[in-house]
Amino acid sequence: MEILLASLALIWGNVTAANPDATFEQLVQASLNAKNAVAIVQPTPSQEKDPLAPVNKMDPQKDAPVIKGIYATAHSAGGSRLSTLVKLLDDTELNSLVIDVKDDWGYITWETGNAELDAMGTTQKIIGNMPGLMTTLNEHNIYPIGRIVVFKDTILAKKKPEWSFVNPDGTLWGNGKNPPDSFVNPYNKEVWDYNIAVAKEAVKAGFKEIQFDYVRFPEGFEKRADILKYTKDERSRIDAVASFVKYAKEQLQPLGVRVSVDIFGYAASVPAAEGIGQDFEKISQNVDVIAPMIYPSHYSTGWFGSKVPDAAPFVTIDGASKDTTKKLEAIDKKGWKPIVRPWIQDFTASWVPGYIKYGKHEVEEQIRALKENGVNEFLLWNANNNYTPGVNY
């Protein structure tokens, strides 16, 4: 027995020295090879495990409907505008509302009843009757999606500057807008857990999908990354952001809720956006749904061969869809491809030189381009929640 154990120990040392991930089964096989006097072929050293690879990823709602949705602010969902939006969904093929549960300023938009979240002082009771809202949505077979703006969070940044980015003079960093927006730090695990706590409360309230938006660093961050004061580790910005997405998926999947992420549309058309930390593939592989924001107005001159992409809704959406399909080919082969559900444009971008007025035809052209590329789900964005009537969805 001692000789056998010694032999196994020797073989185990040889195997694990070459392959630290060697399994017991590999040990047994190696010992059999030794017994049969066959030269042991050492296992090829495995590539370093990808910490961002999905673990036990699954879609918790494989029987969910094909989603065709619209965006609603918390004020619309919690106020008189709701009846208008519900009628639109009743009268068309639209079947989903994306509702702000944590808005663009960082406010949690309903009373969660979570003592720790309440203690943060970041709740603004915009939706006064969340159970009543959910009852209405259920009665009308409307699929509820809770939108959470993650790292753009001016309210939390002001309350917790140490979770944000601080200027050299000690003041809180803000962007150039008036008033400025501040972001919280994607490296900070406490920021992750705060947002996931909000997500879990939204699931308890009845939301079937959690949609994370602003899953990134501020635009142009690479220009000030070495000037601002903030905590970070050895990970790249891309890996920090993607790590949050993986963590969120792992935290929420057991609750039976889908996880989706909004991402810049052009991220599918270019290499990874190192500056803001968005990598289309790394984010997509850990979500159930990826929602590229492919608004024609957001593409500049020359994209997809158009002088004014905003004035060419079919061409722009067609090009963006083809790029998205190509970008996801690699993770599709691994079985990690999420549902693609783009955001499209139901607003007129009057600030764009050469813009056109968007109406029924322009919305339908975008939908036609999606369908021709095999994309059957979409979300319509209008910041004021005024959607074009008479559209064939």
Side-chain angles (χ1 to χ4, degrees), residues 169-292:
D169 64 2
T171 59
L172 180 66
W173 174 85
N175 62 17
K177 293 184 179 180
N178 186 20
D181 299 318
S182 293
F183 279 61
V184 285
N185 182 1
Y187 283 103
N188 190 305
K189 178 75 162 34
E190 291 167 301
V191 170
W192 294 13
D193 286 329
Y194 171 76
N195 281 277
I196 289 168
V198 177
K200 288 179 176 178
E201 293 301 330
V203 176
K204 290 179 187 176
F207 286 92
K208 295 181 180 179
E209 180 175 315
I210 299 300
Q211 181 188 94
F212 293 112
D213 199 0
Y214 285 86
V215 184
R216 59 177 178 84
F217 287 76
E219 290 177 79
F221 187 80
E222 66 278 9
K223 299 174 184 175
R224 58 185 70 91
D226 296 330
I227 301 171
L228 297 175
K229 298 177 182 177
Y230 60 101
T231 58
K232 64 178 180 178
D233 53 38
E234 72 285 351
R235 289 174 298 178
S236 67
R237 289 190 287 273
I238 279 174
D239 284 359
V241 168
S243 294
F244 162 75
V245 175
K246 180 183 179 184
Y247 180 70
K249 170 63 175 165
E250 291 172 350
Q251 288 285 308
L252 296 173
Q253 179 172 288
L255 304 181
V257 66
R258 275 180 166 176
V259 172
S260 59
V261 165
D262 297 336
I263 190 167
F264 279 132
Y266 73 76
S269 304
V270 299
E274 302 275 354
I276 59 171
Q278 278 196 342
D279 183 297
F280 203 96
E281 292 175 80
K282 288 185 176 182
I283 288 175
S284 294
Q285 70 187 19
N286 275 300
V287 295
D288 302 303
V289 180
I290 191 72

Side-chain angles (χ1 to χ4, degrees), residues 65-71 84-97 140-143 344 346 363 367 376-381 386-393:
V66 173
I67 298 300
K68 298 178 180 181
I70 56 176
Y71 165 66
T84 301
L85 297 177
V86 168
K87 187 177 189 309
L88 173 64
L89 272 67
D90 282 346
D91 293 346
T92 66
E93 292 181 36
L94 297 172
N95 62 357
S96 179
L97 269 183
H140 291 265
N141 293 316
I142 297 170
Y143 186 90
I344 58 175
D346 193 358
V363 173
I367 294 170
N376 297 310
E377 300 198 14
F378 57 83
L379 301 168
L380 294 167
W381 180 270
N386 295 315
Y387 296 97
T388 302
V391 173
N392 178 8
Y393 297 108

Side-chain angles (χ1 to χ4, degrees), residues 73 115 137 159 176 195 204 249 329 384:
T73 65
L137 298 182
K159 290 182 177 293
N195 281 277
K204 290 179 187 176
K249 170 63 175 165
E329 281 178 352
N384 298 316

Side-chain angles (χ1 to χ4, degrees), residues 31-52:
S31 65
L32 289 174
N33 289 343
K35 180 180 178 182
N36 294 327
V38 176
I40 297 175
V41 178
Q42 300 287 7
T44 303
S46 60
Q47 293 181 343
E48 187 176 344
K49 283 189 175 180
D50 178 5
L52 297 174

Side-chain angles (χ1 to χ4, degrees), residues 69-79 82 85-86 89 96-104 107 109-110 126-127 130 133-134 136-137 142-149 198 202 206-207 209-212 343 379 381 385 387:
I70 56 176
Y71 165 66
T73 65
H75 289 283
S76 290
L82 179 66
L85 297 177
V86 168
L89 272 67
S96 179
L97 269 183
V98 180
I99 299 170
D100 285 337
V101 295
K102 179 170 172 272
D103 66 20
D104 288 66
Y107 286 115
T109 62
W110 88 108
I126 302 169
I127 300 174
M130 183 65 87
L133 170 59
M134 282 297 153
T136 298
L137 298 182
I142 297 170
Y143 186 90
I145 300 174
R147 175 177 178 255
I148 293 178
V149 177
V198 177
F207 286 92
E209 180 175 315
I210 299 300
Q211 181 188 94
F212 293 112
W343 281 101
L379 301 168
W381 180 270
N385 308 160
Y387 296 97

